[in-house]
PDB file of all heavy atoms in Angstrom:
ATOM      1  N   PHE A 167      -4.986  34.675  29.533  1.00 80.00           N
ATOM      2  CA  PHE A 167      -4.676  33.256  29.647  1.00 80.00           C
ATOM      3  C   PHE A 167      -5.282  32.689  30.920  1.00 80.00           C
ATOM      4  O   PHE A 167      -5.139  33.269  32.003  1.00 80.00           O
ATOM      5  CB  PHE A 167      -3.149  33.108  29.651  1.00 80.00           C
ATOM      6  CG  PHE A 167      -2.648  31.713  29.511  1.00 80.00           C
ATOM      7  CD1 PHE A 167      -2.940  30.967  28.393  1.00 80.00           C
ATOM      8  CD2 PHE A 167      -1.846  31.157  30.485  1.00 80.00           C
ATOM      9  CE1 PHE A 167      -2.456  29.688  28.245  1.00 80.00           C
ATOM     10  CE2 PHE A 167      -1.358  29.875  30.358  1.00 80.00           C
ATOM     11  CZ  PHE A 167      -1.661  29.128  29.231  1.00 80.00           C
ATOM     12  N   GLY A 168      -5.960  31.550  30.836  1.00 80.00           N
ATOM     13  CA  GLY A 168      -6.655  30.981  31.985  1.00 80.00           C
ATOM     14  C   GLY A 168      -5.746  30.726  33.176  1.00 80.00           C
ATOM     15  O   GLY A 168      -6.110  31.007  34.326  1.00 80.00           O
ATOM     16  N   TYR A 169      -4.557  30.172  32.925  1.00 77.00           N
ATOM     17  CA  TYR A 169      -3.627  29.901  34.021  1.00 77.00           C
ATOM     18  C   TYR A 169      -3.290  31.170  34.793  1.00 77.00           C
ATOM     19  O   TYR A 169      -2.967  31.133  35.981  1.00 77.00           O
ATOM     20  CB  TYR A 169      -2.311  29.327  33.474  1.00 77.00           C
ATOM     21  CG  TYR A 169      -2.381  27.943  32.905  1.00 77.00           C
ATOM     22  CD1 TYR A 169      -1.432  27.504  31.992  1.00 77.00           C
ATOM     23  CD2 TYR A 169      -3.379  27.051  33.279  1.00 77.00           C
ATOM     24  CE1 TYR A 169      -1.473  26.219  31.456  1.00 77.00           C
ATOM     25  CE2 TYR A 169      -3.428  25.768  32.753  1.00 77.00           C
ATOM     26  CZ  TYR A 169      -2.473  25.357  31.839  1.00 77.00           C
ATOM     27  OH  TYR A 169      -2.510  24.102  31.318  1.00 77.00           O
ATOM     28  N   SER A 170      -3.327  32.308  34.100  1.00 85.00           N
ATOM     29  CA  SER A 170      -2.886  33.561  34.711  1.00 85.00           C
ATOM     30  C   SER A 170      -3.820  34.047  35.803  1.00 85.00           C
ATOM     31  O   SER A 170      -3.417  34.840  36.665  1.00 85.00           O
ATOM     32  CB  SER A 170      -2.760  34.652  33.640  1.00 85.00           C
ATOM     33  OG  SER A 170      -1.861  34.267  32.628  1.00 85.00           O
ATOM     34  N   LYS A 171      -5.067  33.615  35.783  1.00 90.00           N
ATOM     35  CA  LYS A 171      -6.015  34.110  36.782  1.00 90.00           C
ATOM     36  C   LYS A 171      -5.578  33.728  38.192  1.00 90.00           C
ATOM     37  O   LYS A 171      -5.765  34.495  39.134  1.00 90.00           O
ATOM     38  CB  LYS A 171      -7.414  33.572  36.486  1.00 90.00           C
ATOM     39  CG  LYS A 171      -8.018  34.101  35.199  1.00 90.00           C
ATOM     40  CD  LYS A 171      -9.347  33.431  34.892  1.00 90.00           C
ATOM     41  CE  LYS A 171      -9.830  33.767  33.502  1.00 90.00           C
ATOM     42  NZ  LYS A 171     -11.042  33.013  33.136  1.00 90.00           N
ATOM     43  N   ILE A 172      -4.994  32.541  38.342  1.00 91.00           N
ATOM     44  CA  ILE A 172      -4.538  32.131  39.664  1.00 91.00           C
ATOM     45  C   ILE A 172      -3.398  33.023  40.127  1.00 91.00           C
ATOM     46  O   ILE A 172      -3.260  33.342  41.309  1.00 91.00           O
ATOM     47  CB  ILE A 172      -4.138  30.630  39.672  1.00 91.00           C
ATOM     48  CG1 ILE A 172      -4.241  30.040  41.086  1.00 91.00           C
ATOM     49  CG2 ILE A 172      -2.763  30.411  39.105  1.00 91.00           C
ATOM     50  CD1 ILE A 172      -5.606  29.585  41.463  1.00 91.00           C
ATOM     51  N   ASP A 173      -2.539  33.455  39.183  1.00 89.00           N
ATOM     52  CA  ASP A 173      -1.451  34.367  39.518  1.00 89.00           C
ATOM     53  C   ASP A 173      -1.987  35.735  39.931  1.00 89.00           C
ATOM     54  O   ASP A 173      -1.473  36.362  40.859  1.00 89.00           O
ATOM     55  CB  ASP A 173      -0.506  34.519  38.330  1.00 89.00           C
ATOM     56  CG  ASP A 173       0.234  33.237  37.995  1.00 89.00           C
ATOM     57  OD1 ASP A 173       0.479  32.442  38.923  1.00 89.00           O
ATOM     58  OD2 ASP A 173       0.562  33.032  36.809  1.00 89.00           O
ATOM     59  N   VAL A 174      -3.015  36.196  39.232  1.00 93.00           N
ATOM     60  CA  VAL A 174      -3.627  37.479  39.578  1.00 93.00           C
ATOM     61  C   VAL A 174      -4.275  37.393  40.949  1.00 93.00           C
ATOM     62  O   VAL A 174      -4.098  38.277  41.804  1.00 93.00           O
ATOM     63  CB  VAL A 174      -4.662  37.888  38.512  1.00 93.00           C
ATOM     64  CG1 VAL A 174      -5.457  39.113  38.969  1.00 93.00           C
ATOM     65  CG2 VAL A 174      -3.974  38.182  37.186  1.00 93.00           C
ATOM     66  N   MET A 175      -5.012  36.333  41.208  1.00 95.00           N
ATOM     67  CA  MET A 175      -5.715  36.159  42.488  1.00 95.00           C
ATOM     68  C   MET A 175      -4.781  36.273  43.676  1.00 95.00           C
ATOM     69  O   MET A 175      -5.089  36.922  44.676  1.00 95.00           O
ATOM     70  CB  MET A 175      -6.390  34.785  42.543  1.00 95.00           C
ATOM     71  CG  MET A 175      -7.658  34.643  41.753  1.00 95.00           C
ATOM     72  SD  MET A 175      -8.218  32.932  41.800  1.00 95.00           S
ATOM     73  CE  MET A 175      -8.508  32.680  43.556  1.00 95.00           C
ATOM     74  N   PHE A 176      -3.626  35.619  43.557  1.00 94.00           N
ATOM     75  CA  PHE A 176      -2.737  35.518  44.704  1.00 94.00           C
ATOM     76  C   PHE A 176      -1.553  36.482  44.629  1.00 94.00           C
ATOM     77  O   PHE A 176      -0.528  36.271  45.274  1.00 94.00           O
ATOM     78  CB  PHE A 176      -2.276  34.067  44.875  1.00 94.00           C
ATOM     79  CG  PHE A 176      -3.403  33.164  45.315  1.00 94.00           C
ATOM     80  CD1 PHE A 176      -4.102  32.404  44.391  1.00 94.00           C
ATOM     81  CD2 PHE A 176      -3.800  33.121  46.637  1.00 94.00           C
ATOM     82  CE1 PHE A 176      -5.158  31.586  44.785  1.00 94.00           C
ATOM     83  CE2 PHE A 176      -4.858  32.312  47.044  1.00 94.00           C
ATOM     84  CZ  PHE A 176      -5.535  31.551  46.120  1.00 94.00           C
ATOM     85  N   GLY A 177      -1.717  37.535  43.823  1.00 92.00           N
ATOM     86  CA  GLY A 177      -0.773  38.634  43.835  1.00 92.00           C
ATOM     87  C   GLY A 177       0.563  38.371  43.182  1.00 92.00           C
ATOM     88  O   GLY A 177       1.526  39.107  43.413  1.00 92.00           O
ATOM     89  N   ARG A 178       0.645  37.338  42.335  1.00 88.00           N
ATOM     90  CA  ARG A 178       1.914  37.043  41.680  1.00 88.00           C
ATOM     91  C   ARG A 178       2.043  37.725  40.323  1.00 88.00           C
ATOM     92  O   ARG A 178       3.102  37.696  39.707  1.00 88.00           O
ATOM     93  CB  ARG A 178       2.080  35.526  41.521  1.00 88.00           C
ATOM     94  CG  ARG A 178       2.051  34.792  42.854  1.00 88.00           C
ATOM     95  CD  ARG A 178       2.476  33.355  42.724  1.00 88.00           C
ATOM     96  NE  ARG A 178       1.708  32.631  41.718  1.00 88.00           N
ATOM     97  CZ  ARG A 178       1.821  31.328  41.494  1.00 88.00           C
ATOM     98  NH1 ARG A 178       2.699  30.630  42.199  1.00 88.00           N
ATOM     99  NH2 ARG A 178       1.087  30.725  40.589  1.00 88.00           N
ATOM    100  N   ALA A 179       0.958  38.314  39.850  1.00 87.00           N
ATOM    101  CA  ALA A 179       0.979  39.036  38.577  1.00 87.00           C
ATOM    102  C   ALA A 179      -0.136  40.065  38.592  1.00 87.00           C
ATOM    103  O   ALA A 179      -1.168  39.874  39.256  1.00 87.00           O
ATOM    104  CB  ALA A 179       0.803  38.078  37.400  1.00 87.00           C
ATOM    105  N   PHE A 248     -14.091  33.387  41.219  1.00 96.00           N
ATOM    106  CA  PHE A 248     -12.729  33.637  40.754  1.00 96.00           C
ATOM    107  C   PHE A 248     -12.476  33.110  39.338  1.00 96.00           C
ATOM    108  O   PHE A 248     -11.332  33.006  38.910  1.00 96.00           O
ATOM    109  CB  PHE A 248     -11.707  33.045  41.730  1.00 96.00           C
ATOM    110  CG  PHE A 248     -11.831  31.557  41.962  1.00 96.00           C
ATOM    111  CD1 PHE A 248     -11.118  30.655  41.194  1.00 96.00           C
ATOM    112  CD2 PHE A 248     -12.653  31.066  42.967  1.00 96.00           C
ATOM    113  CE1 PHE A 248     -11.220  29.290  41.416  1.00 96.00           C
ATOM    114  CE2 PHE A 248     -12.759  29.701  43.209  1.00 96.00           C
ATOM    115  CZ  PHE A 248     -12.042  28.804  42.427  1.00 96.00           C
ATOM    116  N   ALA A 254     -11.300  37.316  39.531  1.00 95.00           N
ATOM    117  CA  ALA A 254      -9.960  37.007  40.033  1.00 95.00           C
ATOM    118  C   ALA A 254      -9.288  38.260  40.585  1.00 95.00           C
ATOM    119  O   ALA A 254      -8.597  38.213  41.610  1.00 95.00           O
ATOM    120  CB  ALA A 254      -9.122  36.395  38.920  1.00 95.00           C
ATOM    121  N   PRO A 282      -8.811  21.575  37.196  1.00 90.00           N
ATOM    122  CA  PRO A 282      -7.929  21.666  38.366  1.00 90.00           C
ATOM    123  C   PRO A 282      -8.093  22.955  39.168  1.00 90.00           C
ATOM    124  O   PRO A 282      -7.587  23.036  40.293  1.00 90.00           O
ATOM    125  CB  PRO A 282      -6.507  21.614  37.756  1.00 90.00           C
ATOM    126  CG  PRO A 282      -6.674  21.283  36.328  1.00 90.00           C
ATOM    127  CD  PRO A 282      -8.050  21.699  35.938  1.00 90.00           C
ATOM    128  N   ALA A 283      -8.749  23.985  38.609  1.00 93.00           N
ATOM    129  CA  ALA A 283      -8.731  25.305  39.226  1.00 93.00           C
ATOM    130  C   ALA A 283      -9.220  25.335  40.680  1.00 93.00           C
ATOM    131  O   ALA A 283      -8.600  26.004  41.518  1.00 93.00           O
ATOM    132  CB  ALA A 283      -9.532  26.291  38.376  1.00 93.00           C
ATOM    133  N   PRO A 284     -10.323  24.662  41.031  1.00 96.00           N
ATOM    134  CA  PRO A 284     -10.737  24.697  42.441  1.00 96.00           C
ATOM    135  C   PRO A 284      -9.688  24.109  43.383  1.00 96.00           C
ATOM    136  O   PRO A 284      -9.454  24.649  44.479  1.00 96.00           O
ATOM    137  CB  PRO A 284     -12.024  23.872  42.447  1.00 96.00           C
ATOM    138  CG  PRO A 284     -12.546  23.965  41.051  1.00 96.00           C
ATOM    139  CD  PRO A 284     -11.322  23.964  40.191  1.00 96.00           C
ATOM    140  N   SER A 285      -9.054  23.005  42.971  1.00 95.00           N
ATOM    141  CA  SER A 285      -7.990  22.409  43.793  1.00 95.00           C
ATOM    142  C   SER A 285      -6.806  23.356  43.892  1.00 95.00           C
ATOM    143  O   SER A 285      -6.210  23.527  44.970  1.00 95.00           O
ATOM    144  CB  SER A 285      -7.548  21.068  43.204  1.00 95.00           C
ATOM    145  OG  SER A 285      -8.598  20.124  43.225  1.00 95.00           O
ATOM    146  N   GLU A 286      -6.445  23.969  42.771  1.00 93.00           N
ATOM    147  CA  GLU A 286      -5.350  24.940  42.775  1.00 93.00           C
ATOM    148  C   GLU A 286      -5.653  26.090  43.732  1.00 93.00           C
ATOM    149  O   GLU A 286      -4.770  26.553  44.479  1.00 93.00           O
ATOM    150  CB  GLU A 286      -5.136  25.497  41.370  1.00 93.00           C
ATOM    151  CG  GLU A 286      -4.540  24.518  40.387  1.00 93.00           C
ATOM    152  CD  GLU A 286      -4.357  25.136  39.007  1.00 93.00           C
ATOM    153  OE1 GLU A 286      -5.305  25.790  38.522  1.00 93.00           O
ATOM    154  OE2 GLU A 286      -3.279  24.968  38.423  1.00 93.00           O
ATOM    155  N   CYS A 287      -6.889  26.564  43.706  1.00 96.00           N
ATOM    156  CA  CYS A 287      -7.287  27.675  44.567  1.00 96.00           C
ATOM    157  C   CYS A 287      -7.120  27.309  46.038  1.00 96.00           C
ATOM    158  O   CYS A 287      -6.564  28.091  46.833  1.00 96.00           O
ATOM    159  CB  CYS A 287      -8.735  28.068  44.273  1.00 96.00           C
ATOM    160  SG  CYS A 287      -9.344  29.447  45.264  1.00 96.00           S
ATOM    161  N   ALA A 288      -7.566  26.111  46.423  1.00 96.00           N
ATOM    162  CA  ALA A 288      -7.446  25.680  47.815  1.00 96.00           C
ATOM    163  C   ALA A 288      -5.981  25.545  48.228  1.00 96.00           C
ATOM    164  O   ALA A 288      -5.586  25.977  49.320  1.00 96.00           O
ATOM    165  CB  ALA A 288      -8.186  24.352  48.010  1.00 96.00           C
ATOM    166  N   MET A 290      -3.328  27.015  46.820  1.00 94.00           N
ATOM    167  CA  MET A 290      -2.681  28.323  46.817  1.00 94.00           C
ATOM    168  C   MET A 290      -3.133  29.169  48.006  1.00 94.00           C
ATOM    169  O   MET A 290      -2.356  29.946  48.559  1.00 94.00           O
ATOM    170  CB  MET A 290      -2.966  29.041  45.509  1.00 94.00           C
ATOM    171  CG  MET A 290      -2.193  28.494  44.320  1.00 94.00           C
ATOM    172  SD  MET A 290      -0.413  28.707  44.524  1.00 94.00           S
ATOM    173  CE  MET A 290      -0.292  30.505  44.563  1.00 94.00           C
ATOM    174  N   GLU A 461      -1.251  23.804  39.434  1.00 81.00           N
ATOM    175  CA  GLU A 461      -0.431  24.602  40.342  1.00 81.00           C
ATOM    176  C   GLU A 461      -0.671  24.126  41.766  1.00 81.00           C
ATOM    177  O   GLU A 461      -1.816  24.075  42.229  1.00 81.00           O
ATOM    178  CB  GLU A 461      -0.826  26.069  40.210  1.00 81.00           C
ATOM    179  CG  GLU A 461      -0.061  27.011  41.087  1.00 81.00           C
ATOM    180  CD  GLU A 461       1.340  27.283  40.589  1.00 81.00           C
ATOM    181  OE1 GLU A 461       1.481  27.641  39.393  1.00 81.00           O
ATOM    182  OE2 GLU A 461       2.286  27.139  41.375  1.00 81.00           O
ATOM    183  N   LYS A 495       5.082  25.396  33.355  1.00 72.00           N
ATOM    184  CA  LYS A 495       3.808  26.113  33.363  1.00 72.00           C
ATOM    185  C   LYS A 495       4.034  27.600  33.070  1.00 72.00           C
ATOM    186  O   LYS A 495       3.292  28.218  32.304  1.00 72.00           O
ATOM    187  CB  LYS A 495       3.123  25.929  34.713  1.00 72.00           C
ATOM    188  CG  LYS A 495       1.832  26.706  34.888  1.00 72.00           C
ATOM    189  CD  LYS A 495       1.250  26.448  36.263  1.00 72.00           C
ATOM    190  CE  LYS A 495      -0.017  27.276  36.470  1.00 72.00           C
ATOM    191  NZ  LYS A 495       0.249  28.710  36.544  1.00 72.00           N
ATOM    192  N   GLU A 499       2.707  29.656  29.789  1.00 71.00           N
ATOM    193  CA  GLU A 499       1.934  30.882  29.950  1.00 71.00           C
ATOM    194  C   GLU A 499       2.573  32.032  29.164  1.00 71.00           C
ATOM    195  O   GLU A 499       1.893  32.773  28.451  1.00 71.00           O
ATOM    196  CB  GLU A 499       1.864  31.235  31.430  1.00 71.00           C
ATOM    197  CG  GLU A 499       1.089  32.485  31.760  1.00 71.00           C
ATOM    198  CD  GLU A 499       1.082  32.745  33.247  1.00 71.00           C
ATOM    199  OE1 GLU A 499       2.155  32.657  33.884  1.00 71.00           O
ATOM    200  OE2 GLU A 499       0.012  33.025  33.796  1.00 71.00           O
TER     201      GLU A 499
END
Side-chain angles (χ1 to χ4, degrees):
F167 191 61
Y169 291 157
S170 302
K171 293 175 190 174
I172 204 84
D173 294 330
V174 171
M175 283 174 62
F176 291 97
R178 301 191 306 186
F248 59 92
S285 296
E286 289 180 314
C287 181
M290 286 296 297
E461 180 76 51
K495 176 180 177 292
E499 180 180 46

